[in-house]
Amino acid sequence: MRRQWLEYAAMVSVMGVTISCANAEAPAEAPKEIVNAKPAKIDALFDPARHMRTSEVRPGMTGYGISVFTGTKLERFEVEVVSVLKNQMGPQQDVVLIRCKGQNLEHSGAVAGMSGSPIYLRDDQGRDRMIGAFALGWQFAKDPIAGVRPIEEMLRVATAKQPDDAVLGAQAGTSGTAGTWDARPMFRKLKSADEPIPVAGKKDLNPLTIRPLALPLSISGVKPGFVESIAPLLAGTNLQLLQAAAAGDAPEEGKDAKLEPGAAIGIPVVSGDLSLAAIGTVTEVLGDRVYAFGHAFNTEGAVELPMGVGYIHSVIASQAISFKIGSVVRTDGTIYSDESTAVAGTIGKSPQMIPIAITVRTPQRAEPQTYNYQVAKHRMFTPMGSSIAIVSAILGHSMVPPEFTIKYTLKMQFGDDQVVQMQNQTTSLAGAMEFGRDMQLPMMLALENPFVRTYPTRITGEVEVIPTIDAATVRAAVTDKLVYKPGETVRITLTTRPWKGEDQTHAFTVNLPADLPDGPVTITIGDAQRFAADQMRFAPNLFQTQNVGDVFDMIRQVTADRTDQVYIRLSTAVEGIAVGRTRLAHLPESKKRLLTHSPKVDVATFPQSIVSKHAFPSSLIGSVDLAITVSEHPNRVPQQRGNVAAPVAPGKTPPPQQQPQQQNAPHAEEP
């Protein structure tokens, strides 16, 4: 079943840094007969000689944990059981509360990245048996107290490849029937400029609540300021974004390390000229089965993510949260399950990642430079990782000027020979991350539609950075008159102001249809943002999809809109109707009433409109609305000299226009 990630954001932790124990007393070897990752019952994997159940745990029991605090060396710290918290994390999900000692934990407290460190307790027979994973704690805790996720719960997590979930079917939260998906709610959210598209939706978790320990998300290949700029993407998760060295910087001796209980484990989201990887700790290895973290990465259920051996550069003690700085030495397998109690997978081949190649041109360098990345396939981290990689290429090529324009072309290839090509520009008025948002939109729609989850197979593009702001804001607009006959030409004069320039005027003409009925007509002259917002009201049929082919048709339509165009829309009070993606023109009123009397979910009504697109010399910002009247007998309608309107604030949609101003009524004069 597909997990609704936003609902569980408070319990999500994404990868932690692994810690392992060198020269520590080794626990019993894994049973030799366990050599594959086929699904198995808990009783088949739980070894009473190796593992301990929570029912055997009593306060005062002592033992040790294993983790890595420097390099790949497995090191030991001491633990004592404080208590057993029954049903603490949910029904039949107990937590063993421990106090830790050694490895400077009395000073640092629980360290982000220790998630998954195996904990062993000594039983009455003097045997050291694994009780579970160091995994839970409290924010701002002063003492080295942590919660242990029982190993008996972790072993229930599947380590084999899960059934293919590409065909998702109708999902809760989507509009329409199982055969029709209305993409407008998602499109509206993705186009919102209020905040970045986050990985999670919840923020400000209660610091008094026990929860999964933070997982360090190490990033390299970017400037320090870039880390702060992408931090909002991770709001509401347990990810701790840190700047760290790349895998190649790990010493040679670290490259011989293997995945074993207590070893560092990493999940690389992005690799190449930028590295973005979560680092945690291995809890248990049984044959080629690997269990880690003791909590979720993303609570996604079935996944296919690369995993590999981690290297710890250092532990940083902090009053807010102590953490490990780590990187991935090499990939060595696949994570197949991401559950609330553990991530689990198989040692061996790692999944194929998505290649990205971006060529960047800047005024500071004579020659363009190409950056190459590989991004993991994941419903949230593929869009986020891709946009971070491409934006980092722009910002990493050279210092971006305080005022800039980014012009770009992108080609995204998806499965089933679907291709999306984008050509657009943005400026420093919106910021470089606006480019990242534009890039995420087609991927999010391709991944989150209810038909087929389609990942990119390759992304290529070219980006040019210009050291000026190539943009103009809308100042005003005017028509040559107020009343027109059907079939006449409307002459519009648009006044704009270039960035740090003087007002300029631009002339446009729009031909009224010869069969346009008498009545009021609203003329909207605006930018791409206003046009996209209006499309959901005036052209709802474009967002009605019945298969993945419709989804990609919609993606290509919405990504074809450019900021360096003027969009002119004529809208009337005449109501149109669409069934699914089919727009029914000139439908008799009797049939309209029949369809709308007991409408199905894929029947939509909307104000009819006509759109024309016009090239503009720079990015346009803002919009303006005018009102005219269409009449077969214009002499019978009071005339005025002109029709002028002030602009609408960017991103705002004004209320519907009223009737045109009548003669002698107060109105704005021509500029």
Side-chain angles (χ1 to χ4, degrees):
M1 180 182 295
R2 180 183 174 204
R3 309 304 168 98
Q4 294 300 320
W5 200 75
L6 298 180
E7 296 177 3
Y8 297 98
M11 295 186 64
V12 168
S13 60
V14 182
M15 313 155 195
V17 172
T18 103
I19 30 185
S20 64
C21 199
N23 304 323
E25 209 174 300
E29 288 287 332
K32 298 297 183 183
E33 64 272 15
I34 301 178
V35 294
N36 59 59
K38 293 181 180 179
K41 295 181 180 180
I42 174 77
D43 294 338
L45 299 176
F46 187 92
D47 181 1
R50 179 183 179 87
H51 305 128
M52 181 181 292
R53 299 186 186 275
T54 55
S55 59
E56 302 177 62
V57 178
R58 301 182 309 277
M61 294 180 73
T62 59
Y64 63 92
I66 301 177
S67 199
V68 174
F69 298 93
T70 304
T72 58
K73 182 182 179 182
L74 301 176
E75 297 188 90
R76 175 169 169 163
F77 57 95
E78 306 305 315
V79 304
E80 179 181 355
V81 175
V82 175
S83 185
V84 177
L85 308 178
K86 293 291 185 179
N87 298 324
Q88 179 67 36
M89 301 303 293
Q92 300 182 19
Q93 293 190 33
D94 302 336
V95 173
V96 177
L97 203 61
I98 60 171
R99 182 181 294 273
C100 306
K101 182 180 179 181
Q103 300 301 331
N104 203 36
L105 292 174
E106 299 93 334
H107 172 64
S108 66
V111 177
M114 290 183 68
S115 292
S117 301
I119 303 298
Y120 300 86
L121 297 178
R122 181 152 294 180
D123 63 15
D124 294 339
Q125 287 75 44
R127 299 176 299 175
D128 292 333
R129 295 156 63 200
M130 183 187 296
I131 181 59
F134 184 108
L136 308 163
W138 289 266
Q139 190 177 15
F140 305 117
K142 296 175 64 177
D143 295 322
I145 293 179
V148 176
R149 177 79 69 179
I151 188 63
E152 57 189 308
E153 296 178 12
M154 296 178 64
L155 293 179
R156 296 189 179 101
V157 178
T159 57
K161 178 177 172 59
Q162 303 298 297
D164 188 4
D165 68 338
V167 181
L168 302 177
Q171 299 289 335
T174 62
S175 303
T177 65
T180 302
W181 178 52
D182 185 348
R184 285 178 296 176
M186 177 177 287
F187 181 76
R188 188 177 293 111
K189 180 179 180 181
L190 295 176
K191 291 294 288 185
S192 172
D194 294 338
E195 58 183 33
I197 300 173
V199 174
K202 295 184 179 180
K203 303 178 182 180
D204 302 325
L205 301 179
N206 186 351
L208 302 180
T209 301
I210 189 172
R211 64 184 189 219
L213 294 173
L215 287 169
L217 187 63
S218 299
I219 186 170
S220 65
V222 298
K223 295 179 173 64
F226 184 70
V227 176
E228 284 75 25
S229 69
I230 64 174
L233 296 171
L234 303 172
T237 73
N238 275 0
L239 285 172
Q240 184 75 20
L241 191 62
L242 305 169
Q243 192 160 19
D249 297 319
E252 284 296 324
E253 61 268 21
K255 297 180 180 180
D256 294 329
K258 62 180 181 179
L259 295 173
E260 58 184 317
I265 182 173
I267 303 180
V269 177
V270 183
S271 58
D273 288 322
L274 177 142
S275 174
L276 186 66
I279 309 293
T281 306
V282 176
T283 306
E284 180 63 297
V285 178
L286 301 175
D288 60 358
R289 305 172 189 263
V290 177
Y291 302 86
F293 293 178
H295 55 66
F297 170 43
N298 246 1
T299 322
E300 290 285 343
V303 295
E304 286 189 50
L305 291 168
M307 70 175 178
V309 177
Y311 183 93
I312 305 305
H313 299 278
S314 183
V315 174
I316 307 298
S318 170
Q319 291 182 341
I321 180 171
S322 299
F323 55 89
K324 294 182 179 182
I325 299 177
S327 55
V328 179
V329 175
R330 68 176 185 275
T331 56
D332 197 17
T334 302
I335 295 291
Y336 285 117
S337 293
D338 175 16
E339 302 287 349
S340 62
T341 57
V343 296
T346 308
I347 295 173
K349 185 179 179 180
S350 295
Q352 185 176 5
M353 299 179 78
I354 302 164
I356 298 178
I358 298 296
T359 299
V360 181
R361 293 177 173 83
T362 62
Q364 295 94 333
R365 296 191 183 183
E367 297 296 325
Q369 187 164 344
T370 299
Y371 296 87
N372 293 283
Y373 309 95
Q374 296 80 42
V375 179
K377 293 182 179 180
H378 184 275
R379 59 180 290 263
M380 295 303 296
F381 283 97
T382 294
M384 188 196 79
S386 299
S387 62
I388 288 176
I390 294 179
V391 173
S392 72
I394 299 171
L395 300 179
H397 188 270
S398 57
M399 290 297 294
V400 176
E403 297 181 356
F404 63 81
T405 297
I406 296 174
K407 297 186 176 183
Y408 64 89
T409 59
L410 285 176
K411 180 180 181 181
M412 297 186 189
Q413 297 169 263
F414 291 83
D416 298 326
D417 297 323
Q418 297 285 0
V419 178
V420 175
Q421 300 196 66
M422 303 169 62
Q423 183 175 353
N424 213 334
Q425 66 181 51
T426 185
T427 71
S428 51
L429 299 177
M433 288 306 293
E434 180 68 18
F435 171 43
R437 175 181 290 277
D438 288 346
M439 201 191 94
Q440 287 189 57
L441 186 143
M443 281 189 282
M444 292 292 288
L445 290 170
L447 292 172
E448 293 301 307
N449 71 82
F451 307 113
V452 178
R453 179 170 290 166
T454 309
Y455 284 95
T457 57
R458 183 174 179 80
I459 300 173
T460 56
E462 295 185 1
V463 178
E464 181 180 8
V465 180
I466 301 171
T468 58
I469 295 178
D470 183 22
T473 56
V474 173
R475 298 281 289 167
V478 63
T479 57
D480 56 331
K481 56 183 180 178
L482 275 179
V483 183
Y484 298 84
K485 292 182 65 174
E488 274 197 284
T489 297
V490 180
R491 293 174 174 79
I492 301 170
T493 301
L494 176 66
T495 302
T496 64
R497 177 170 294 178
W499 181 252
K500 295 183 178 178
E502 300 295 330
D503 284 358
Q504 297 178 355
T505 58
H506 311 268
F508 302 98
T509 59
V510 179
N511 294 323
L512 298 176
D515 59 351
L516 194 64
D518 288 5
V521 172
T522 299
I523 303 178
T524 299
I525 307 105
D527 57 10
Q529 184 177 351
R530 171 67 187 277
F531 176 72
D534 284 350
Q535 280 290 82
M536 287 181 279
R537 180 163 64 100
F538 288 99
N541 57 299
L542 299 180
F543 300 89
Q544 305 298 315
T545 60
Q546 297 181 336
N547 51 58
V548 71
D550 289 346
V551 172
F552 276 97
D553 286 344
M554 175 191 64
I555 290 173
R556 282 186 280 267
Q557 284 182 310
V558 299
T559 55
D561 299 331
R562 299 174 50 144
T563 62
D564 56 349
Q565 286 183 321
V566 177
Y567 297 85
I568 300 179
R569 183 189 300 273
L570 305 180
S571 56
T572 70
V574 178
E575 190 176 70
I577 192 168
V579 178
R581 292 179 61 81
T582 305
R583 190 167 185 157
L584 303 178
H586 310 295
L587 197 66
E589 285 299 322
S590 59
K591 292 188 176 181
K592 282 186 182 180
R593 288 194 295 270
L594 182 63
L595 286 171
T596 58
H597 177 66
S598 299
K600 297 180 179 180
V601 290
D602 59 351
V603 175
T605 58
F606 51 88
Q608 287 192 350
S609 67
I610 301 168
V611 174
S612 60
K613 304 177 183 181
H614 308 264
F616 196 72
S618 61
S619 291
L620 185 66
I621 302 173
S623 63
V624 65
D625 290 85
L626 302 171
I628 64 171
T629 297
V630 173
S631 175
E632 283 283 0
H633 307 284
N635 294 334
R636 300 178 185 177
V637 180
Q639 292 283 339
Q640 290 185 10
R641 180 171 170 234
N643 180 21
V644 65
V648 178
K652 302 295 183 181
T653 301
Q657 287 287 319
Q658 303 297 317
Q659 292 283 349
Q661 297 165 335
Q662 300 301 311
Q663 191 171 14
N664 300 323
H667 65 279
E669 295 292 338
E670 284 188 79

